[in-house]
């Protein structure tokens, strides 16, 4: 028996003594129990005790500590969490301790709806004083898994409900420097520039964001997230999308390194379909590139033929989505 | 290419249903109603619904009901809309919706709608577009959608739409295939699909297919059989399912089977579970795999079950 087994056994013995006045209540398996539960381990024993306490609605310190133990054994059990909140309210417990408790539960498995819901309930009660703690908590979890959906949801809730926007754009930048393919960080960036009360909104941020995004695209052109973000910067403003030369130049620059970049070709087509008219010079450059690549012939004269050729390239480069590209080709005027 | 080991999967599901003393069963105890939905729906898609005892299941489900009208994940557990939908779906599968006090159940669900149109999962108030779908699907199956403000419900879902055409759990939340299913499903059920940018969303969804043929749920994530359902059902609802390579996806799902003992896993060679077995078989049904019943992409129930509810009377 190692130390942790010893601690476990001691904890079990202590619980048995503490709860000697309560008759455990086993799970009712319905009208036709097929197999009686064959063994009594810590899990079964704890849950039997929990059912008895829940049934009696005992709101006591020992019941609170029983929920801690039950949650440590199965953090997914929804009823245990709910009853814990009932007890916390009844006993008027200092909720700062709950932050430590949820932190320790998250060390085991943080992908659990109940845990996050509980954390939010606690933070809501604590109010603005918990802002920095909540931002730190999510940051720590995101440092282990930068796409953790629950952590991002919680963080967005904290920003909107408790504040703390000031450093958020820098935080997104840090994460994108670590991994520019992190779609969650791009999503958060969009959340910040469109919703932060300190940045002045999308229009105000567009120019600097386009610069930032174009740099990210040129560094890694195969990144779906940065291209979509770029498009999102021109939401509901196709006129600027078509006329901002930064976008078409970014496509050209990417294509000049390799003419078959899917997202660059797709973006170029999106521009053309919204009225972008490539200059003669633009087409010449593209032609020169395709000749270098030699698989495709862009030596055509008008935009529509150019677009058709590009679609043919896409069908070949991305065969798994050939139907999608064929459909877009069919939409050409 | 291998074939669907249909008989093995039936055996596997029935054995999980019976095993109440295994460690897995004890840990899953709190969401047994969800498990029942995954298992029983899979059996029905495979044409083997009656491999389980109807009366046993129905009486067990009824004993999971709380006095509020909602259902808990098992007997004696607190009610939540997640389990309430599973209860309604399983009863629908067995054509036993008439055992329910429909007004009571629908009042419980309708009572979870918030002022802004969103839905909470229970009395504690966690809000998520998952709950919008669940509430709308549940009320629609009970034919009581008029008990909520559908216009506001739709408005809230639309407020969760992102720049990539997808949807997140709350306004500003990242697009995720599971949440997209919920939002598109709720919009489909309420006749509000015109709010979806089909071409934009369709592209994002078909970009989820990776080289192995499997689907992921977000950019740069690993493929997982469960997304065969979330992504495919969404593509089906917006009529864009031909934008992915179906043959490759079928092969991927079949590669995730345990051909010896039955069951399907998230990725080839991982351990199987009921959840992934359901999503694999449901995905194959949407892909029109031979021998499977057709499944409705919005209600997540076999088409004949949905028709029975809506074409009756």
């Amino acid at each position: 028996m190692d130390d942790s087994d010893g601690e476990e056994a001691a904890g079990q013995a202590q619980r048995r003594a503490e709860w000697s006045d309560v008759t455990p209540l086993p799970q009712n398996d319905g009208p036709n129990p097929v197999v009686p539960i064959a063994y009594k381990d810590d899990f079964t024993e704890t849950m039997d005790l929990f059912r008895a306490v829940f049934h009696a609605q005992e709101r006591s310190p020992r019941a609170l500590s029983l929920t801690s133990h039950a949650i440590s054994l199965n953090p997914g059990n929804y009823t245990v969490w709910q009853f814990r909140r009932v007890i916390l309210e009844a006993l008027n417990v200092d909720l700062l301790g709950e932050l430590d408790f949820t932190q320790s539960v998250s060390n085991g498995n943080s992908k659990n709806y109940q845990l996050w819901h509980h954390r939010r309930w606690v933070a809501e009660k604590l109010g603005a004083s918990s802002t920095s703690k909540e931002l730190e908590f999510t940051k720590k979890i995101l440092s282990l898994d930068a796409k953790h959906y629950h952590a991002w949801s919680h963080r967005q809730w904290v920003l909107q409900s408790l504040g703390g926007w000031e450093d958020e754009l820098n935080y997104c930048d840090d994460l994108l420097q670590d991994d520019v393919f992190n779609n969650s960080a791009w999503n958060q960036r969009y959340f910040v520039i469109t919703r932060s009360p300190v940045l002045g909104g999308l229009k105000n941020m567009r120019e600097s964001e386009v610069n930032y995004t174009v740099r990210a695209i040129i560094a890694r052109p195969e990144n779906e997230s940065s291209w979509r973000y770029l498009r999102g910067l021109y939401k509901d403003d196709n006129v600027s999308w078509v006329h901002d030369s930064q976008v078409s130049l970014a496509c050209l620059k990417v294509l000049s390194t390799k003419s078959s970049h899917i997202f660059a070709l797709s973006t170029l087509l999106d521009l053309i379909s919204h009225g972008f008219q490539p200059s003669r010079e633009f087409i010449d450059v593209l032609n020169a590139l395709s000749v270098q690549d030699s698989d495709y012939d862009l030596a055509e004269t008008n935009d529509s033929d150019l677009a058709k050729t590009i679609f043919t390239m896409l069908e070949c480069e991305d065969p798994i989505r050939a139907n999608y590209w064929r459909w877009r080709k069919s939409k050409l005027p | 290419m291998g074939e669907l080991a249909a008989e093995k999967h039936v055996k596997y599901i029935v054995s999980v249903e019976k095993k109440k003393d295994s460690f897995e069963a004890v840990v899953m105890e709190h969401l047994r109603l969800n498990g029942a939905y995954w298992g029983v729906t899979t059996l029905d898609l495979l044409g083997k619904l009656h491999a389980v005892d109807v009366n046993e299941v129905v009486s067990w489900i009824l004993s999971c009901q709380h006095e509020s009208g909602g259902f808990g994940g098992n007997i004696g557990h607190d009610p939540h809309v997640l389990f309430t939908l599973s209860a309604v779906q399983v009863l629908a599968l067995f054509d036993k919706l008439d055992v329910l006090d429909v007004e009571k159940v629908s009042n419980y669900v309708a009572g979870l709608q918030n002022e802004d149109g969103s839905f909470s999962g229970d009395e504690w108030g966690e809000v998520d577009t998952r709950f919008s779908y669940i509430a709308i699907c549940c009320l629609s199956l009970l034919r009581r959608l008029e008990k909520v403000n559908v216009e506001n419900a739709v408005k809230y879902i639309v407020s969760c739409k992102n720049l990539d055409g997808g949807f997140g759990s709350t306004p500003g939340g990242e697009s995720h295939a599971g949440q997209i299913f919920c939002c598109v499903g709720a919009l489909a059920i309420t006749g509000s699909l015109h709010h979806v940018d089909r071409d934009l969303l369709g592209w994002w969804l078909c970009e989820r297919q990776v080289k192995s043929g499997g689907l992921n749920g977000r950019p740069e994530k690993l493929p997982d059989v469960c997304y065969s359902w979330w992504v495919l059902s969404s593509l089906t609802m917006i009529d864009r399912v031909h934008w992915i390579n179906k043959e490759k996806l079928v092969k991927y799902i079949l590669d995730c089977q345990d051909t010896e003992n039955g069951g399907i896993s998230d990725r080839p060679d991982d351990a199987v579970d009921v959840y992934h077995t359901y999503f694999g078989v449901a995905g194959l049904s949407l892909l029109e795999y031979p021998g499977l019943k057709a499944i409705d992409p919005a209600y997540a129930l076999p088409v004949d079950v949905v028709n029975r509810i809506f074409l009756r009377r």
Side-chain angles (χ1 to χ4, degrees), chain A residues 80-216:
Chain A
V80 178
W81 283 101
Q82 280 209 345
F83 190 52
R84 185 177 178 86
R85 285 189 287 275
V86 170
I87 300 171
L88 289 167
E89 281 189 328
L91 300 182
N92 206 9
V93 176
D94 178 7
L95 291 175
L96 276 175
E98 283 305 281
L99 296 181
D100 297 334
F101 175 70
T102 44
Q103 169 106 44
S104 75
V105 175
S106 76
N107 291 338
N109 176 13
S110 57
K111 291 198 172 162
N112 166 318
Y113 285 99
Q114 286 73 34
L115 162 72
W116 290 95
H117 181 48
H118 189 76
R119 180 87 187 188
R120 183 183 301 192
W121 179 81
V122 173
E124 204 160 22
K125 296 237 166 204
L126 290 173
S129 65
S130 65
T131 308
S132 59
K133 284 201 185 73
E134 294 315 291
L135 292 177
E136 268 313 304
F137 176 63
T138 48
K139 198 171 183 175
K140 193 177 157 222
I141 293 194
L142 292 168
S143 72
L144 304 171
D145 175 1
K147 298 173 187 172
H148 197 297
Y149 204 89
H150 300 278
W152 280 117
S153 294
H154 188 72
R155 196 172 174 91
Q156 292 192 343
W157 173 81
V158 171
L159 291 167
Q160 288 187 308
S161 309
L162 307 176
W165 291 95
E166 297 72 18
D167 204 34
E168 197 61 12
L169 199 59
N170 288 331
Y171 178 55
C172 295
D173 182 43
D174 290 345
L175 288 177
L176 289 173
Q177 296 226 5
D178 288 346
D179 175 15
V180 77
F181 291 91
N182 182 352
N183 192 61
S184 307
W186 283 106
N187 184 71
Q188 183 73 353
R189 196 173 179 95
Y190 199 74
F191 178 81
V192 175
I193 63 161
T194 52
R195 293 170 196 255
S196 165
V198 295
L199 293 176
L202 178 59
K203 284 243 162 76
N204 199 41
M205 295 298 292
R206 189 189 281 156
E207 199 186 329
S208 57
E209 285 304 284
V210 170
N211 290 332
Y212 181 89
T213 312
V214 165
R215 277 200 304 277

Side-chain angles (χ1 to χ4, degrees), chain A residues 27 43 51 54 74 76 78-79 82 113 117 147 149 156 183-184 187 224 228 321 323-324 327, chain B residues 21 26 29-30 59 75 78 80 122 124 126 130 163 169 172 174 199 203 206 208-209 218 242-243:
Chain A
Q27 173 68 41
F43 188 98
R51 272 178 221 102
F54 178 68
N74 180 10
Y78 171 79
T79 303
Q82 280 209 345
Y113 285 99
H117 181 48
K147 298 173 187 172
Y149 204 89
Q156 292 192 343
N183 192 61
S184 307
N187 184 71
E224 174 182 353
R228 289 194 197 274
R321 276 166 282 277
N323 281 343
Y324 170 70
W327 170 81
Chain B
D21 61 339
V26 175
E29 167 216 292
H30 64 283
S59 60
I75 300 170
D78 279 351
H80 193 285
D122 64 16
W124 291 93
E126 182 188 3
R130 286 183 306 144
L163 60 91
S169 61
E174 184 184 3
D199 299 337
W203 183 33
C206 77
R208 304 284 54 81
Q209 190 165 34
R218 285 186 278 164
H242 54 289
W243 285 0

